[in-house]
Amino acid sequence: MSVPLPVSIFIVEDNAWYGELLEYKLAQNPDYSIRRFTTAQACLDNLSDKPDIITLDYSLPDGTGDQVLRQIKERLPEVAVIAISGQEDVRTAIGLLRQGAYDYLVKDEETADRLWNTVGNIRKQLELRQENTRLKEQIGQKYDPQRAILGESAQIKQLHSLIDKAARTNITVSISGETGTGKELVAKAIHFRSDRRDAAFVAVNVAAIPRDLLESELFGHEKGAFTGAIGRRIGRFEEAHKGTLFLDEISELDLGLQAKLLRVLQEREVTRVGGNSRIPFDARLMVATHRDLNQEVKEGRFREDLYYRLLGLPIMLPPLRERGHDILLLANAFLKEFCSQNNMVPCSLSSPAQQKLLQYNFPGNVRELKAVVELAAVLAENDQIQPQDLPLRHGPTDMAAPGATTNESLRVQMANIVQRYLDAHNGNILQVAAKLQIGKSTIYRMVQNNEVRIR
């Protein structure tokens, strides 16, 4: 149960009796700390105490409500000011509200009750703001590179250094690496260390969106722009305003949209599909791909001018097989988290199991390691994982059958992991999708293609 938020309130009222009435009413809540002032200057002299709420009499001996409100807002923009006046003048009320007053109350026999309700509403907003701040701090800690990107190898230490440098500026960041190496995790780590951390992090997987819908997804559309456009929709660039836009699998963008993206990045403004207005945006851009973009340019599948526009600070993520004992460090971290989340007795890896992991090539990289050790924790007979509990399809060094491509080997490996999870969870596709952090539609397709079975 959450602890009630204490609220500091200033009452500015030159009528002693009326000020006492308001104080008596609000003091019924023990969480309200109240101070009363009879002049505007006395209130202004104490603003360094940073009250949460100020009730402000419109007619004070040393200043009118609009004058005092302006001075308060200049020094404390976030404070909630409730103007209280003896006159019911709509123009006065509108003027104060436009200046930033939270509410305008007319003095009558019901003012104290209305004030009580208004202060209660403000308190709820303050609690939500405080909770939002706390959650943002937790997210920032979650994506702190030292916590989120574990490893002691030279490659990971260099990666931490690059993340720190990227976070200091708004330079475009291009992240490359094999599937499963943690490209989006790196992008989030940079965002939550940057001065844009309080704004949105918007991620778009270019390869996962049909090409005929991608332009609308990125740039938005106006009502009636195409069949099915029943209303206006803002695009991801607008959503990411003041924050970060992360475009994953950028190499999958077709050439036509590449040209439009280049123009958007050059002009720093978007035009919604079916619209004419140019909408400026301020978003930091990060992109990722598992392909060699330079090679894509050479082969004519990616525009050279867009390539140089996106290159920015390049970050290459190492495959897990090149990170040595980071494999065990990550495996133990995944095991600890999985056992904690599932109320299981903590598991450990036996020495033979550790050797099996170190000798394995991990074509699916960190994502595969996480799936492997979590399933091993489920399959293990006791609190120590043995080699036979590790669902590695191939031998330690023989990753693919003769004649098989790397992509085919990875697909078979993925099917093997999904099958084991389906068996362990009685064919519950939704549960398996959540555990493996993959889309349920991916598993349904694998079932339809007879790659896995519901037994």
Side-chain angles (χ1 to χ4, degrees):
M1 186 174 180
S2 60
V3 178
L5 177 70
V7 178
S8 171
I9 303 174
F10 282 7
I11 295 176
V12 187
E13 172 61 60
D14 65 329
N15 183 313
W17 176 85
Y18 201 79
E20 289 177 1
L21 173 65
L22 298 181
E23 182 177 5
Y24 171 77
K25 179 67 176 181
L26 295 177
Q28 293 178 36
N29 190 320
D31 297 321
Y32 294 168
S33 172
I34 303 168
R35 295 175 64 185
R36 191 153 52 87
F37 305 96
T38 57
T39 65
Q41 192 59 50
C43 171
L44 295 173
D45 289 343
N46 286 273
L47 287 182
S48 58
D49 292 338
K50 296 183 178 179
D52 300 303
I53 302 171
I54 297 176
T55 73
L56 178 64
D57 183 18
Y58 184 79
S59 300
L60 293 167
D62 55 345
T64 61
D66 55 345
Q67 295 171 338
V68 182
L69 175 61
R70 188 179 304 111
Q71 295 179 70
I72 291 173
K73 282 296 185 177
E74 285 174 356
R75 293 172 57 181
L76 295 179
E78 297 298 320
V79 69
V81 179
I82 304 169
I84 301 178
S85 174
Q87 54 181 329
E88 190 171 350
D89 187 334
V90 174
R91 289 174 299 179
T92 300
I94 292 174
L96 290 171
L97 293 172
R98 284 177 175 171
Q99 278 185 243
Y102 181 88
D103 202 354
Y104 180 89
L105 304 180
V106 178
K107 289 182 179 179
D108 58 27
E109 64 275 6
E110 296 180 357
T111 303
D113 290 333
R114 289 202 299 270
L115 178 62
W116 173 269
N117 293 331
T118 300
V119 169
N121 291 334
I122 294 172
R123 184 190 192 185
K124 291 177 183 177
Q125 293 178 9
L126 291 173
E127 289 174 340
L128 287 173
R129 189 186 304 167
Q130 184 184 62
E131 177 68 9
N132 190 37
T133 300
R134 185 183 67 81
L135 290 174
K136 285 182 177 179
E137 289 174 353
Q138 287 182 348
I139 292 172
Q141 292 172 359
K142 178 181 178 181
Y143 292 109
D144 180 88
Q146 303 298 330
R147 296 186 181 186
I149 306 171
L150 298 176
E152 298 175 352
S153 60
Q155 298 101 314
I156 295 304
K157 290 179 180 178
Q158 175 65 16
L159 175 60
H160 287 163
S161 175
L162 288 174
I163 289 173
D164 287 339
K165 292 176 180 178
R168 297 187 198 126
T169 71
N170 286 319
I171 188 172
T172 298
V173 177
S174 55
I175 308 168
S176 57
E178 295 178 8
T179 299
T181 48
K183 295 185 284 293
E184 184 169 343
L185 189 62
V186 170
K188 287 181 177 178
I190 295 171
H191 170 77
F192 286 108
R193 291 203 60 156
S194 74
D195 58 6
R196 294 176 178 265
R197 67 178 71 88
D198 291 331
F201 176 89
V202 179
V204 181
N205 188 326
V206 172
I209 301 172
R211 293 187 177 186
D212 55 346
L213 296 179
L214 187 55
E215 182 177 1
S216 169
E217 185 75 17
L218 293 176
F219 309 135
H221 64 252
E222 297 290 350
K223 180 179 180 180
F226 50 83
T227 303
I230 59 176
R232 170 183 288 177
R233 183 190 188 283
I234 68 169
R236 296 306 183 94
F237 274 89
E238 291 180 73
E239 286 181 21
H241 186 61
K242 298 296 182 182
T244 299
L245 178 62
F246 174 62
L247 300 180
D248 198 6
E249 298 300 350
I250 188 66
S251 61
E252 304 303 315
L253 196 66
D254 68 45
L255 287 169
L257 270 181
Q258 287 179 31
K260 293 181 179 180
L261 175 60
L262 178 63
R263 182 171 181 82
V264 164
L265 297 179
Q266 289 173 337
E267 303 296 333
R268 306 301 295 179
E269 57 187 21
V270 297
T271 301
R272 299 190 189 112
V273 177
N276 296 314
S277 300
R278 294 183 175 184
I279 304 161
F281 68 91
D282 173 17
R284 198 249 184 93
L285 185 67
M286 287 190 259
V287 300
T289 179
H290 70 282
R291 300 185 188 276
D292 182 344
L293 271 189
N294 189 33
Q295 186 63 33
E296 294 292 299
V297 171
K298 292 178 181 178
E299 295 179 8
R301 291 190 294 268
F302 204 84
R303 292 178 62 106
E304 185 175 19
D305 46 6
L306 180 59
Y307 168 74
Y308 287 113
R309 172 70 66 171
L310 296 176
L311 185 61
L313 174 64
I315 296 179
M316 177 69 185
L317 301 188
L320 185 58
R321 59 184 172 274
E322 296 178 5
R323 292 174 55 182
H325 279 75
D326 281 357
I327 292 173
L328 298 183
L329 190 155
L330 287 164
N332 287 321
F334 292 148
L335 272 177
K336 181 179 179 180
E337 181 182 20
F338 181 78
C339 292
S340 174
Q341 290 178 346
N342 291 275
N343 298 316
M344 296 172 61
V345 175
C347 288
S348 62
L349 291 160
S350 67
S351 293
Q354 291 181 28
Q355 289 303 312
K356 187 174 181 180
L357 288 178
L358 288 173
Q359 293 170 7
Y360 185 59
N361 212 21
F362 284 103
N365 291 291
V366 178
R367 186 181 296 143
E368 181 185 2
L369 172 63
K370 186 174 188 293
V372 164
V373 297
E374 287 182 354
L375 182 54
V378 174
L379 299 176
E381 295 296 331
N382 51 46
D383 61 357
Q384 190 170 63
I385 293 173
Q386 301 300 329
Q388 62 269 23
D389 300 322
L390 295 168
L392 307 180
R393 181 176 179 84
H394 303 285
T397 55
D398 181 20
M399 289 309 305
T405 66
T406 302
N407 286 337
E408 289 171 340
S409 173
L410 179 58
R411 186 70 182 180
V412 170
Q413 178 70 14
M414 181 179 178
N416 181 55
I417 293 172
V418 170
Q419 185 65 68
R420 286 182 177 269
Y421 264 74
L422 286 171
D423 293 344
H425 292 88
N426 298 317
N428 189 322
I429 290 178
L430 294 179
Q431 193 173 6
V432 171
K435 292 287 185 183
L436 294 178
Q437 297 182 357
I438 60 177
K440 61 182 182 296
S441 58
T442 299
I443 302 178
Y444 283 124
R445 281 197 299 271
M446 296 177 79
V447 173
Q448 291 174 350
N449 295 335
N450 294 319
E451 296 175 86
V452 297
R453 296 180 180 179
I454 306 295
R455 296 170 180 167

